Amino acid sequence: MTKSLRLGVALRLDEAGDIEEVLVDGFALTEGSPRGFVEILTPASAEKARLFLERIRSERAAFDWELTVSYAGRLTVLTFSGRLQDDGTIVVVGGRSARDIERMYDDLLRINNEQANLLRSTVLELSSMKRRPTETIDEMMELNNELASLQRELARQNVTLERLNQQKNQLLGMVAHDLRNPLGVVAGYARTMMEGLAGPTTERQQRFLERIARTSEHMLRMVDDLVDLSSIESGRVELERRELDLAAMLADAVALNRVLAERKGIAIELDVAETLMVAADGGKLRQVVDNLLSNAVKYSHEATTVRVEARVTDPVVQVSVEDQGQGIPEAELARLFEPFGRTSVKGTAGEKSTGLGLAIVKRILEAHDGTIEVQSEVGVGSTFRFTLPLAPDVEAP
């Protein structure tokens, strides 16, 4: 075994993430025969590992995820990458760094070629016994070698692209963080001057100050959304799941958004059971509900109603937010949950959109093992439905 393989781990997993085959285990992580990939990691990395596997299932590959293992009595951070195979299994490779993973790819592919050469010699012996020509076998092995070279190059390129994506997310996070404070100061001073605390202002100055305040507050919301999205995309989001009364949270969210809706003459109705227990990160889930409610109000006309319902459909809770707004053209629904996936629909009171909210909503729900979908008809309205697993030991009524 080469040095890079002695300092790495490579596993074949089934679709559920259970270990089917140990290809390489230089860290002795599979001693004791753990059942699943998550079990070879420390408990603190378990949730992140599930997100890592989900990324592989949804995008067919994931690269440079840092997860913690226990090695030689010490906590050690390893960098993991993985691929979804055509047969539905998942191959996960880990090392101390992304460079170690590149070297492991090379060594593993070289081993495959050695195995192919052994197969070639065996087939040649059999074919000579049967007096068959070997040209076809030679061509197949030549193609196999070319394919192996292409696989090595593709692996290197994928690692490079994933590293660039990680750097992009880090840059977005740093830029957004540095912009948040000055934007908050601009908005705060504008509101202070509008209230006359810095001296009297004319009506014209009030209009200018209102525009400054609204624009800076919109940019501040965009910065916050960028920070959230970059964190989620880079796999750094750690959910703090606790047993949560979804019914109480929905009631609180509706009460808060009802104040904003009344300014536009929009009513919000709530139909929910007295208690709905789910296991979720309360802050993240509140972000989901507030986004859907604010969107419903933003795109609805005066004197309409937004209806919020929650029902238990074992083994999940289904929440719907239905409005009587403008509706979304069918051709635009496919990009609705993509970053910056704006539609042609505009806020009825001129409200702006960052184009990031629904992308964040979708990723938060997926991290909770939930789903979201939308039904919409132009001129009639839209209904967003999301699901969440029930808390353990909670049964549908």
Side-chain angles (χ1 to χ4, degrees), residues 83 85 105-106 108-110 112-113 143-158:
R83 288 175 175 276
Q85 305 295 100
Y105 273 123
D106 289 341
L108 287 171
L109 287 170
R110 183 181 59 78
N112 285 338
N113 284 338
L143 288 173
N144 180 75
N145 290 334
E146 292 177 2
L147 179 60
S149 298
L150 290 173
Q151 285 177 323
R152 282 197 296 270
E153 182 59 28
L154 180 61
R156 293 192 188 97
Q157 292 296 332
N158 281 335

Side-chain angles (χ1 to χ4, degrees), residues 317-367:
V317 177
Q318 183 182 85
V319 180
S320 63
V321 179
E322 179 183 1
D323 65 53
Q324 299 170 343
Q326 305 167 73
I328 305 166
E330 184 177 356
E332 300 178 5
L333 292 176
R335 65 173 183 266
L336 200 58
F337 296 102
E338 297 176 0
F340 303 104
R342 294 186 180 92
T343 68
S344 59
V345 184
K346 306 299 181 184
T348 53
E351 301 98 327
K352 296 181 179 179
S353 170
T354 65
L356 295 171
L358 289 176
I360 294 171
V361 163
K362 183 174 187 290
R363 284 158 176 77
I364 290 175
L365 289 171
E366 288 176 345

Side-chain angles (χ1 to χ4, degrees), residues 268-331:
I268 303 182
E269 297 178 353
L270 176 65
D271 183 6
V272 61
E274 291 185 4
T275 303
L276 288 174
M277 303 306 296
V278 295
D281 184 314
K284 296 286 190 299
L285 190 55
R286 179 59 183 264
Q287 189 176 353
V288 168
V289 175
D290 282 341
N291 185 282
L292 296 179
L293 280 172
S294 65
N295 278 354
V297 173
K298 182 187 301 181
Y299 298 109
S300 289
H301 296 289
E302 184 178 358
T304 57
T305 300
V306 173
R307 183 174 178 81
V308 181
E309 293 185 357
R311 294 285 182 269
V312 175
T313 306
D314 197 31
V316 299
V317 177
Q318 183 182 85
V319 180
S320 63
V321 179
E322 179 183 1
D323 65 53
Q324 299 170 343
Q326 305 167 73
I328 305 166
E330 184 177 356

Side-chain angles (χ1 to χ4, degrees), residues 135-317:
E135 286 82 359
T136 302
I137 299 172
D138 289 333
E139 291 174 3
M140 290 178 61
M141 300 323 303
E142 183 178 352
L143 288 173
N144 180 75
N145 290 334
E146 292 177 2
L147 179 60
S149 298
L150 290 173
Q151 285 177 323
R152 282 197 296 270
E153 182 59 28
L154 180 61
R156 293 192 188 97
Q157 292 296 332
N158 281 335
V159 169
T160 300
L161 287 173
E162 183 64 22
R163 186 178 296 113
L164 289 173
N165 187 54
Q166 294 284 349
Q167 291 172 352
K168 179 262 297 180
N169 287 330
Q170 291 172 2
L171 178 62
L172 279 177
M174 288 188 293
V175 171
H177 182 270
D178 290 341
L179 285 174
R180 181 187 281 130
N181 288 339
L183 285 172
V185 170
V186 171
Y189 272 115
R191 294 295 182 190
T192 298
M193 294 177 69
M194 289 173 62
E195 294 170 4
L197 299 179
T201 56
T202 66
E203 183 177 344
R204 186 165 181 254
Q205 289 170 335
Q206 282 283 334
R207 290 199 302 271
F208 288 163
L209 289 169
E210 174 66 23
R211 185 169 299 176
I212 292 171
R214 290 181 63 181
T215 300
S216 56
E217 287 166 355
H218 171 69
M219 292 180 66
L220 193 57
R221 287 193 296 272
M222 180 178 289
V223 165
D224 289 336
D225 286 347
L226 279 172
V227 171
D228 286 340
L229 187 63
S230 63
S231 296
I232 293 171
E233 292 283 358
S234 59
R236 296 196 307 267
V237 175
E238 296 284 349
L239 296 180
E240 297 181 6
R241 294 193 191 224
R242 294 187 176 88
E243 193 170 77
L244 172 71
D245 185 351
L246 180 60
M249 194 211 69
L250 288 173
D252 186 63
V254 165
L256 177 62
N257 284 273
R258 188 173 278 146
V259 175
L260 303 175
E262 288 173 351
R263 297 177 185 173
K264 296 180 67 174
I266 297 171
I268 303 182
E269 297 178 353
L270 176 65
D271 183 6
V272 61
E274 291 185 4
T275 303
L276 288 174
M277 303 306 296
V278 295
D281 184 314
K284 296 286 190 299
L285 190 55
R286 179 59 183 264
Q287 189 176 353
V288 168
V289 175
D290 282 341
N291 185 282
L292 296 179
L293 280 172
S294 65
N295 278 354
V297 173
K298 182 187 301 181
Y299 298 109
S300 289
H301 296 289
E302 184 178 358
T304 57
T305 300
V306 173
R307 183 174 178 81
V308 181
E309 293 185 357
R311 294 285 182 269
V312 175
T313 306
D314 197 31
V316 299
V317 177

